[in-house]
Amino acid sequence: MLGLFGLLDLGSRSLTTHRQAVEVAGHNLSNVNNPAYARQRLSLATSLPILGDLGPEGTGVQGVAIVQLRSAALDFQLQRERSVLGSLQAQQDALRSAQSALGQLLDRIDTGAAAEGVGTSHSLADDLASLFDSFQSLSTSPASLVERQNVLMKASALAAQFQGVDQRLDHLRAALDSVVKDDTTQANSLLAQIAQLNAEIARAEIAGPGAANDLRDVRQSRIEDLAKLVKIDVVNGELGAVDVSISGTLMVAGLEVVESMETYVSATGQTLLRAAGTGAAMTLTGGRIQGTIEARDGVVAELRADVNSLASLLITEVNGLHQTGYSLTGSTGADFFVGSTAADIQVNSALRDNPALLQAASVSGAEGDNGVALALAQLARKSHAALGQRTFIQGYTDATFRFGHFLASVNTQLTDQEAVEKMLVRQREAVSGVSLDEEMTDLTRFQAAFQASARLVTVVDDLLNTVVNLKQ
Amino acid sequence: MRVTANTFPADLIRHLGSLAGQQTRLHTQASTGQRIALPEDDPGGVGRAVALQSEAGAMAQYQRNIEHQQQTAQATFSLVQALKKISDRAGEIATLADGLKSPEQLRAYGAEITQLIRQTVQIANTSRDGQFLLAGTRSSQAPFALTEDADGSVAAVVYNGNASTNEVEIAEGVTLTSQVVGGNTTGTGPRGLLIDARAGADFFNHLISLQDHLLAGEAAGVAATDRPQLSRDEENFVFQIALNGALQERLQVAESQARQRKADLQQNLSREVDADLAQTLVRLSQTQTAYQAALQTGGSILSLSLLDYLR
């Protein structure tokens, strides 16, 4: 039998338990917009019964634990998918920047003189076509200074476009190197934070019963942030800690960061990653850093190489023909373009200063001859082994096709991956998310229970008063 | 599925974002009239469009080349016509200068021939854009140079041009020349207009010979030598007029082919790149309706909560 004081104790325990339940609901409510937060519940259980005259007798309720509603399987899946997402997002960012660097934009409503009613593509293809057209015009009036000036202007515009594209792609490469470095710094910082949180969780969980829910939330959020940067493997260790490895290298073991990443410049000039302690190169398989490196050394580098080989071939072919020609002054053997790559292609300044020196004639002493001008114009349709038996413009469109195709495929993969990630987030939200309606209902429920418990205490107080006043 | 406080706003934001993205894409398509613009939109389509654009550009350039050739051909035609007239008058004089004419009359004819030679040189040295039409590829200097005798008659006319012409592309891989050279004594290559070994034409020397015979009063020499020589020149002019006609005809055909090809290319490009405006606008309107509905329902659901009913 509990007796009146036992009953008072029961009422008091009930008040405490329901106050705790209201506290938990309040904690949930206040974290409603915290994306890292997983809702918590106070687990209730009956207090230990005592043996009375009528057998075991209930002693009310007590809170046994504050539990977190979280699915480890969903957390694991999300962590994996975030690495794939991070890689694809980084590739898309890099490739879109490369697309801007290329400057290829179809514009059908351009009504400029060069548009010919079909618009422009604001690209190297336009400038290449313009140069070959200007050679055609020159072939009709080989001695005309106006046509010569026109050829030199178109050639200068093409050279400037080649240089512009190459420079923009070079700046992009440098920018992507910086992204790799910054992301590596951030990843190292996250590894340190995870180790720190491991320590805090261990301390908190050793000190008392129950799990350090809020610290675990923060750690899970850091793990997912890290997974977005670099693909990681997470294994549960002792004392509630987790071990983190990257590409088979253990980075965080329990409470310690045992290894960190650093960038280095490889023999081929690429900024890559290695383990700072052992110096072993790390080959990443997912995450933003890997995506950035893959795009930088893959498609973007390929595009730049394609533009470069196009420029080099143009310089060789045009110069080869031009050198054999004769200018209006009878001079011969001069180069049309100087430089050897897209980075340094330029029109020979001697020709720019004096268009009469352009060597359009194929024979000496016949300034009106157009042999070389015609051959240069016909270069537009010549197939080149270096371009896979394609013409200059076809070579360029092939390169943009390969690039565009890759970017389009990354776009599709990213859309799919975003859908996967969104579904997982929704599923996790369904398990761990805070529902205002639920919490408000709980609040009302526990408030009523608290009020009822208080009423019990009042009743017991009245009973005690009655007992105390029996003798009066 | 359990719907939490953030499920609905997150979904709403995602839907609104996706609808706004679609609206932007459709609006861009409607306002530019283009289905694709960037390589990522449709890599193959953009590649084909760039190729079609550059091909259409090449066709436009062929049209310009053809126009230039036509202008040259027309200028040459006027020139040949003028020379033909001179040739007609010279032939007439050669016929008139028979044995019945007095030496004074023959000398008067001779003086006219001198003037005709000077006129011929002037016509044959016609230039266009600073380039001499009949000089071959040595076109920056006058092709014919005249030297006089002390008595004012023409001693000689020398051809300083060459027998080369410029080929110009008028269609893919098709080149032709509209240039006519003043003289060609090599027996190969283009026919010379005034001097040609194959046709036996040497208009200046034949006129000079006629002039000399007339000035010397040798009517017999005119009949025996000059008339047959001049008739060879005449035939050569007629040949050149026919050649010019054929050339202009060919240029006209090439021009209409280039124009047709360009129109075809424009159509192909349109099929490849242009947006179906009706379809785009219908889809835009659908997307706008969905966007409005999402905003409206989202707004009304978001504003409702259990808090409104708890006191």
Side-chain angles (χ1 to χ4, degrees), chain A residues 32-33 96 99 104 106 108 116 118 136-137 140-141 367-368 370 381 411 422 426 429-430 433-434 438, chain B residues 2 4-6 11 14 34 37 40 50 53 60-62 64-65 68 137 140 166-167 169 172-173 274:
Chain A
V32 66
N33 289 322
R96 285 224 162 118
Q99 183 174 249
Q104 166 91 57
L106 275 186
R108 288 267 288 137
E116 302 295 355
V118 289
Q136 285 277 10
S137 290
T140 63
S141 311
E367 55 293 323
N370 75 346
R381 282 197 326 279
N411 285 346
K422 286 268 156 37
R426 263 173 80 110
E429 185 67 21
V434 175
E438 278 177 16
Chain B
R2 182 172 166 269
T4 66
N6 284 319
D11 274 5
R14 189 158 60 88
Q34 282 176 223
E40 64 177 310
V50 170
Q53 275 181 338
Q61 179 60 42
Y62 287 140
R64 284 196 289 276
N65 285 4
H68 187 273
T137 55
S140 56
N166 280 332
E167 292 282 317
E169 221 173 30
E172 214 174 290
D274 291 356

Side-chain angles (χ1 to χ4, degrees), chain A residues 28 31-41 69-71 74-75 78 82 224 420-436 438-439, chain B residues 1-11 14:
Chain A
N28 284 340
N31 278 293
V32 66
N33 289 322
N34 177 357
Y37 184 75
R39 70 188 164 122
Q40 297 175 7
R41 281 281 170 272
L69 284 97
R70 201 177 246 295
S71 159
L74 281 172
D75 284 347
L78 255 171
R82 289 251 155 99
E224 282 167 20
V420 169
E421 202 244 359
K422 286 268 156 37
M423 279 192 282
L424 285 172
V425 168
R426 263 173 80 110
Q427 281 181 38
R428 185 160 76 175
E429 185 67 21
V431 175
S432 306
V434 175
S435 159
L436 280 180
E438 278 177 16
E439 300 307 328
Chain B
M1 197 177 107
R2 182 172 166 269
V3 175
T4 66
N6 284 319
T7 311
F8 182 71
D11 274 5
R14 189 158 60 88

